[in-house]
RNA sequence: AGUCCCAUGGUGUAAUCGGUAACACAGCUGAUUUUGAUUCAGUCAUUCAAGGUUCGAGUCCUUGUGGGACUGCCA
């Protein structure tokens, strides 16, 4: 275990180890396979797998357990995507892959044990009647008329439930706890319900399914989970969790600890909303690069390392918070700055003709692949008479502090010559169509000669070997920091500019070697990722992962 | 309205037994720079409120205030 500051959960674990309550922590990540994982899950994954990794030398481990107790919502498609996302993040559950549905017999036996202890009974009232009797936060509940059934009766009825003797909603097994409890979860909660549905794992073997509150503590106990970490919303469920552990024949006593879930601005974080965004066509799919799903972030090009360090920096507390996106963005940029190879791409090209350079001439110039890391080597670029630069890098009416190309001004082409503006052409809309420049000889690798003002270097590509590419620029999906609080709901504040597709981008030839998912920096523009699905050598497609920081853009 | 949980710079967090409130991000200023990036230096800014205990309170107590969870046969 490292010397780093421990959060409250790691403190508890350390103290449980100290007191020898446990020899090693055993944690679990227990998703329901009913949707794709999102950045919020990454926090839970990082916490649970992270803790296990920190105590690996003691034999700690983290289970991946699919909490599949509701057949109507779950599907194998999701178990596969969840596994893929966890592996992508860099975590390994090793042989500890479990399904709650593999424990159905165990749950059933525990239910029977509760019945025998008079701690559970079958209620054959309608859902509506049961709801009314539960009362509300101000009023105590009233006991079910079926609460006093005999053990024999209950055993009989429970068996009938299992054997298909009831329609959906016809009967439930309830815990016999306290209808007057301040905690609604303790007012004789439902333990089992009848659902005649096909289960992705158990098929049609069962027509009764355990509720989360009953199943979860039993799953944890069965797997000898020591610390069952979940989000704050389950705080009020903990007494029931403990009740189940205490009253059922279980092999271990897990402890539930709650922590605050991750909230991030300008995005939504619920399966229901993701589904709506996909179904209504606001995004292209679960893996749309604007989505905060892990599959979306992967496709966008976010490095898993950055997500992991992000999760680490947001910490672990019981405080509800709204984390600023800039914390994640910092981690992404920091990681990519170190590893991404630099390339040149012009997104909005305007042609520059070097009038004093021979039309049939060309030469190789050498540029570093990553100035941050010499070991990344360098590559050759071809300089020729006709090149492209970014339209916004030439301003006819440039402000004083504009460092790039202006009429009669000079600017360096990154890795190549300093060029000097001698003229340009415009179309009927006064849009620049072509720029004429002269190169200043002997300025490659050399400082600007006396009398030439040149404050920066701009990126460029040669017309002769540039590759056309599609580039997709992404912005936040919503215009409000809290989309859910927006007037008219989150769909009402969708950002119309969240996706901008550029078709005529010109990119240096070295991208021909890039494969799907590979990341690079397009100098001065940002970090980009060859699209995981659409990119190929005949039709390159890049996603902008994130822009570079831009203190000039802000001042403008 | 009841029960439970939470409250530290703009954001996320830290602060050992009650003993100098700190770190990262963001912002701002400057230096360096063949990426207006990076890097470097500096800077702004913090204990929800009121009482109490104490030599001393972010930390303990009381009362407020603000936020969150709970009234599924979802998880």
């Amino acid at each position: 275990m490292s010397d780093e500051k421990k959060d409250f959960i790691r403190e508890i674990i350390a103290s449980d180890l100290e007191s020898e309550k446990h020899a090693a922590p055993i944690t679990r990540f227990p998703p329901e396979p009913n949707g794709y994982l999102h950045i919020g899950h990454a926090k839970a994954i990082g916490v649970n797998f992270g803790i296990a990794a920190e105590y690996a030398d003691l034999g700690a481990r983290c289970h991946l357990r699919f909490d599949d107790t509701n057949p109507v919502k779950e599907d194998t498609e999701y178990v596969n995507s969840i596994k893929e996302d966890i592996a992508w993040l860099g975590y390994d559950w090793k042989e500890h892959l479990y399904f709650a549905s593999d424990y159905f017999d165990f749950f059933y036996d525990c239910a029977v044990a509760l019945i025998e202890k008079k701690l559970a009974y079958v209620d054959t009232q309608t859902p509506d009647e049961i709801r009314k009797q539960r009362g509300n936060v101000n009023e105590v509940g009233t006991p079910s008329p079926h609460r006093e059934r005999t053990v024999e009766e209950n055993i009989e009825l429970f068996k009938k439930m299992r054997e298909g003797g009831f329609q959906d909603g016809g009967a439930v097994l309830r815990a016999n706890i306290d209808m007057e409890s301040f905690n609604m979860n303790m007012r004789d909660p439902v333990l089992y319900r009848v659902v005649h549905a096909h289960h992705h794992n158990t098929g049609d073997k069962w027509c009764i399914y355990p509720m989360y509150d009953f199943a979860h503590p039993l799953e944890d106990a069965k797997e000898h989970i020591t610390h069952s970490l979940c989000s704050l919303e389950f705080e009020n469920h903990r007494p029931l969790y403990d009740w189940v552990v205490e009253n059922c024949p279980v092999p271990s006593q897990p402890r539930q600890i709650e922590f605050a879930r991750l909230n991030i601005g300008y995005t939504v974080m619920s399966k229901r909303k993701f589904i709506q965004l996909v179904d209504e066509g606001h995004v292209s799919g679960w893996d749309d690069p604007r989505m905060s799903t892990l599959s979306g972030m992967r496709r966008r090009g976010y490095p898993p390392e950055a997500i992991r360090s992000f999760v680490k920096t947001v910490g672990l507390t019981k405080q509800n918070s709204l984390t600023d996106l800039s914390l994640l963005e910092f981690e992404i940029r920091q990681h990519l700055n170190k590893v991404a190879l630099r390339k040149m791409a012009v997104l909005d090209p305007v042609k520059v003709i070097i009038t004093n350079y021979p039309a049939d001439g060309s030469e190789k110039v050498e540029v570093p692949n990553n100035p941050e890391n010499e070991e990344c080597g360098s590559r050759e670029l071809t300089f020729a008479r006709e090149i492209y630069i970014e339209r916004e890098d030439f301003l006819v009416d440039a402000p004083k502090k504009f460092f790039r190309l202006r009429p009669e001004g000079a600017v360096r082409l990154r890795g190549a010559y300093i060029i000097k503006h001698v003229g340009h052409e415009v179309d009927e809309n006064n849009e620049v169509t072509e720029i004429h420049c002269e190169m200043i000889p002997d300025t490659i690798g050399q400082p600007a000669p006396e009398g030439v003002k040149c404050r920066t270097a701009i990126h460029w590509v040669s017309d002769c070997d540039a590759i056309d590419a599609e580039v997709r620029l992404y912005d936040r999906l919503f215009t409000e920091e809290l989309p859910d609080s927006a007037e008219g709901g989150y769909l009402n504040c969708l950002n119309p500019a969240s996706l901008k597709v550029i078709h005529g981008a010109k990119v240096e030839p070295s991208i021909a070697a890039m494969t799907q998912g590979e990341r690079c920096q397009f100098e001065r523009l940002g970090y980009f990722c060859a699209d995981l699905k659409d990119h190929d050598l005949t039709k390159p497609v890049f996603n902008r992962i994130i822009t570079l920081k831009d203190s000039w853009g802000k001042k403008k």
Side-chain angles (χ1 to χ4, degrees), chain A residues 53-337:
Chain A
E54 286 155 25
Y55 289 104
D57 55 334
L58 297 181
R61 59 179 195 260
C62 177
H63 297 183
L64 169 57
R65 179 175 69 225
F66 287 96
D67 207 356
D68 53 353
T69 56
N70 185 356
V72 303
K73 294 173 72 178
E74 295 147 9
D75 196 280
T76 311
E77 173 197 349
Y78 298 119
V79 342
N80 293 329
S81 80
I82 288 169
K83 286 182 185 171
E84 187 184 349
D85 287 343
I86 297 172
W88 174 70
L89 279 178
Y91 294 106
D92 183 4
W93 53 88
K94 303 196 177 82
E95 69 272 33
H96 300 291
L97 171 65
Y98 304 101
F99 289 84
S101 52
D102 286 337
Y103 307 150
F104 281 167
D105 285 307
F106 171 58
F107 300 149
Y108 186 85
D109 292 343
C110 287
V112 170
L114 288 178
I115 292 171
E116 283 167 351
K117 290 162 85 172
K118 291 184 178 278
L119 289 175
Y121 60 95
V122 173
D123 199 333
T124 46
Q125 298 181 99
T126 65
D128 199 45
E129 285 168 327
I130 291 177
R131 180 164 45 77
K132 282 179 181 143
Q133 286 162 9
R134 186 157 32 234
N136 57 52
V137 289
N138 297 312
E139 280 170 61
V140 297
T142 51
S144 164
H146 302 148
R147 207 177 197 229
E148 303 305 327
R149 286 198 220 265
T150 63
V151 170
E152 291 69 31
E153 240 180 320
N154 280 317
I155 294 282
E156 203 54 40
L157 284 167
F158 190 45
K159 212 161 144 194
K160 186 177 167 188
M161 281 173 68
R162 177 183 187 163
E163 287 165 356
F166 290 98
Q167 296 295 303
D168 289 8
V172 288
L173 182 73
R174 288 228 261 168
N176 185 164
I177 306 179
D178 179 7
M179 289 305 290
E180 297 184 10
S181 173
F182 286 122
N183 186 339
M184 301 295 291
N185 297 118
M186 301 299 272
R187 319 247 261 230
D188 288 15
V190 172
L191 266 23
Y192 259 101
R193 78 285 212 185
V194 176
V195 183
H196 292 273
H198 189 82
H199 188 281
H200 78 100
N201 183 27
T202 57
D204 298 312
K205 184 178 175 196
W206 295 84
C207 64
I208 57 172
Y209 291 90
M211 298 289 289
Y212 168 87
D213 282 316
F214 180 57
H216 208 88
L218 295 177
E219 295 158 23
D220 287 339
K222 186 162 180 61
E223 295 177 15
H224 291 82
I225 301 300
T226 56
H227 304 270
S228 177
L229 314 181
C230 63
S231 54
L232 245 31
E233 50 187 308
F234 293 103
E235 264 175 328
N236 295 339
H237 295 243
R238 190 172 355 114
L240 180 52
Y241 182 102
D242 292 338
W243 184 93
V244 171
V245 168
E246 193 176 316
N247 292 294
C248 291
V250 296
S252 78
Q253 275 71 44
R255 170 178 176 186
Q256 173 181 304
I257 306 171
E258 312 83 15
F259 63 88
R261 63 164 65 232
L262 176 68
N263 298 298
I264 298 186
Y266 298 99
T267 188
V268 293
M269 209 94 87
S270 90
K271 286 168 188 167
R272 202 200 95 236
K273 288 163 197 157
F274 289 142
I275 289 170
Q276 194 175 10
L277 287 168
V278 173
D279 286 354
E280 295 183 6
H282 300 112
V283 296
S284 63
W286 287 90
D287 64 348
D288 187 293
R290 292 166 290 180
M291 297 271 273
S292 50
T293 51
L294 292 178
S295 48
M297 291 183 164
R298 176 167 62 239
R299 190 158 175 203
R300 172 80 167 260
Y302 287 4
E305 296 88 345
I307 294 177
R308 276 191 273 143
S309 12
F310 167 69
V311 161
K312 217 171 156 187
T313 54
V314 298
L316 200 54
T317 68
K318 299 186 77 157
Q319 290 156 240
N320 291 302
S321 60
L322 181 63
T323 301
D324 199 293
L325 202 59
S326 62
L327 262 47
L328 209 209
E329 294 180 333
F330 166 77
E331 301 293 346
I332 294 168
R333 289 194 180 102
Q334 179 178 253
H335 177 82
L336 259 15
N337 180 45

Side-chain angles (χ1 to χ4, degrees), chain A residues 400-532:
Chain A
K400 246 200 187 94
K401 288 258 194 174
F402 188 71
F403 300 158
R404 290 109 94 161
L405 191 63
R406 63 171 74 214
E408 291 171 38
V411 73
R412 179 182 296 278
L413 297 174
R414 178 112 236 248
Y417 295 102
I418 293 176
I419 57 171
K420 191 172 188 306
H421 171 276
V422 293
H424 60 270
E425 291 171 12
V426 297
D427 64 11
E428 63 277 11
N429 300 319
N430 222 16
E431 183 130 322
V432 174
T433 53
E434 201 171 278
I435 304 169
H436 297 178
C437 289
E438 287 180 355
M439 61 87 151
I440 303 177
D442 303 320
T443 48
I444 297 183
Q446 300 299 323
E450 203 92 6
V452 176
K453 259 205 303 191
C454 176
R455 293 256 352 223
T456 190
I458 62 172
H459 58 278
W460 55 280
V461 295
S462 282
D463 179 49
C464 63
D465 62 0
I467 296 177
D468 283 334
E470 175 178 329
V471 177
R472 300 167 181 169
L473 306 180
Y474 299 101
D475 197 357
R476 53 173 63 124
L477 231 201
F478 298 94
T479 54
E480 299 286 326
E481 186 173 36
L482 299 172
D484 292 320
S485 312
E487 222 178 290
Y490 67 102
L491 289 178
N492 227 25
C493 61
L494 280 161
N495 179 6
S498 62
L499 169 62
K500 191 177 165 202
V501 181
I502 291 173
H503 288 285
K506 302 282 186 185
V507 193
E508 65 167 71
S510 73
I511 60 152
M514 288 181 69
T515 55
Q516 294 185 343
E518 207 171 326
R519 307 176 183 93
C520 68
Q521 181 193 106
F522 287 160
E523 289 209 39
R524 301 211 302 133
L525 296 175
Y527 297 99
F528 291 75
C529 176
D531 190 77
L532 236 21

